[in-house]
Amino acid sequence: MADQGAAETGFRGLPDVASRMLGGAVLYANDEFYADAHNLIAPGPAAHDPAAFGVRGKLYDGWETRRRREPGEDFVIVRLAAPAVVRGVNIDTAHFKGNYPPFGSVDGATLLGYPPVGEVIAAEWAPLVDKTDLEGDCANLAAVTTVDRLVTHVRLTIHPDGGVARLRVFGEVIPDPRDLGGRVDLAALRRGGRVESCSNMFFAAPANVLFPGRAQVMSDGWETARRRDDGNDWLVVRLATPGVLHHAVIDTSRFVGNAPGHARLSDAESGTELLPRTPLLPDTEHRFRLRPAGQVRLVRLDIYPDGGISRLRLAGVVPAAEHEPITRRWLDLLPPSVAAAVDQSEFFD
């Protein structure tokens, strides 16, 4: 399954909704004798030290189960950072060469709220990726071809045992209408915002600026190469839903000698200016009131001339006309039994 170029172009641009950085969590693993299942959702590629051994054997940056001597398979359950329509997965077996599982499969379940582990294990699971061949020491990419469905938890099953370095779950986050009342950050990845395009991402990916929390290190942000021309760098954010923006946060925390000198925000479709070209300070969380501009769907951030920012927040309100289509889409993507149990009085007016 290693040669998946067509699949990669179809979903790798979507956020990894299993990532711990975004808020994903490992809930349960039936076996993790050699290596902790929590490593599966760690940010960044797996590290490897060929000389590292512990009392149980070789140390791996991944999840590894013991050798099975009876029929069965091993599995791990991950709670996604936000409910999403899963479009593809990467079952990455980096550094597992003689001990990777020969087959893998991924299922999804939908449980709203905060169900206990026992309820998650016993949930109704639906296939996302059928049992498929895996190769060792490489990325194993697979597209999801089943009907669109909102998923809150995924279960990776390895057949029969072995090691997996990372599990990436690429999905389209669907805004929960119950979270869109009042003034909210409409650019947040966990709410459905995403980076549509950018001019340069030489040092770090632009999607980092939409992650929750504050950046812990410089690489936990977006940083461009040094420009040697008269241009400037930029990115375009698609909001979770069209909204009327009120203020923005442009955070240069962790960027001390390489923060942009200025920034500007505009409606990427109409060109209407939301924030005029404004000076920025290094290593600073800046808060700006935005110019009234009506409803906006795509926002362009220009930085001058280059450099890095750690976070971008775009706070606004959802117009009343958008409420019904957002709610209808969300309900339509839920399994019927789950949708029927939703208390619709929780929706905003």
Side-chain angles (χ1 to χ4, degrees), residues 105-346:
S105 59
V106 180
D107 301 296
T110 308
L111 299 97
L112 301 180
Y114 308 96
V117 172
E119 185 177 332
V120 177
I121 294 172
E124 180 181 344
W125 293 88
L128 296 174
V129 176
D130 291 331
K131 184 176 177 180
T132 188
D133 295 345
L134 299 180
E135 295 184 27
D137 195 26
C138 71
N140 293 274
L141 300 167
V144 173
T145 57
T146 55
V147 65
D148 287 357
R149 173 184 177 179
L150 205 58
V151 171
T152 59
H153 299 75
V154 296
R155 181 179 65 193
L156 167 65
T157 302
I158 54 175
H159 309 267
D161 55 41
V164 175
R166 295 289 187 267
L167 174 66
R168 305 304 188 201
V169 180
F170 303 100
E172 178 188 353
V173 177
I174 306 299
D176 186 330
R178 300 171 299 178
D179 295 337
L180 294 176
R183 192 174 296 180
V184 296
D185 179 10
L186 294 175
L189 273 173
R190 288 199 299 198
R191 200 163 270 122
R194 56 179 291 193
V195 172
E196 190 88 344
S197 57
C198 76
S199 61
N200 184 280
M201 50 181 177
F202 186 86
F203 288 110
N208 291 344
V209 303
L210 306 184
F211 273 87
R214 302 291 299 279
Q216 299 302 305
V217 294
M218 193 169 66
S219 61
D220 182 18
W222 169 51
E223 185 181 3
T224 71
R226 300 190 187 205
R227 295 191 74 98
R228 306 304 186 189
D229 56 25
D230 296 328
N232 71 281
D233 288 315
W234 52 268
L235 61 77
V236 174
V237 174
R238 179 177 293 275
L239 301 180
T241 182
V244 178
L245 298 179
H246 287 264
H247 70 268
V249 174
I250 302 176
D251 190 352
T252 60
S253 295
R254 311 299 179 183
F255 291 96
V256 181
N258 50 354
H262 297 76
R264 176 180 181 268
L265 291 168
S266 61
D267 182 332
E269 294 180 300
S270 69
T272 301
E273 192 167 70
L274 304 173
L275 176 72
R277 180 166 169 163
T278 302
L280 297 181
L281 295 174
D283 199 25
T284 301
E285 185 181 58
H286 308 78
R287 297 178 178 272
F288 299 112
R289 183 82 177 188
L290 300 181
R291 293 178 173 179
Q295 190 168 299
V296 179
R297 180 175 61 173
L298 296 173
V299 176
R300 173 171 168 139
L301 166 67
D302 284 277
I303 58 173
Y304 302 91
D306 55 32
I309 66 168
S310 60
R311 294 292 185 268
L312 173 65
R313 311 294 187 210
L314 297 169
V317 297
V318 179
E322 299 292 335
H323 293 186
E324 183 176 350
I326 293 169
T327 301
R328 181 50 50 200
R329 185 187 185 206
W330 185 76
L331 288 171
D332 287 347
L333 288 170
L334 293 174
S337 60
V338 177
V342 172
D343 180 3
Q344 296 195 25
S345 66
E346 297 181 49

Side-chain angles (χ1 to χ4, degrees), residues 26-99:
V26 171
L27 295 188
Y28 179 83
N30 74 309
D31 186 295
E32 45 189 343
F33 185 85
Y34 286 114
D36 193 331
H38 288 81
N39 294 329
L40 283 171
I41 60 172
H48 186 64
D49 179 357
F53 284 83
V55 295
R56 292 188 177 185
K58 183 73 187 70
L59 298 179
Y60 281 95
D61 181 10
W63 169 50
E64 186 183 8
T65 69
R66 74 193 79 198
R67 301 189 190 211
R68 281 189 162 270
R69 302 308 186 198
E70 68 286 329
E73 56 275 322
D74 294 321
F75 70 96
V76 61
I77 294 176
V78 175
R79 185 187 65 226
L80 301 183
V85 176
V86 178
R87 301 298 186 188
V89 302
N90 179 8
I91 305 172
D92 188 348
T93 57
H95 310 300
F96 289 98
K97 299 179 180 180
N99 50 350

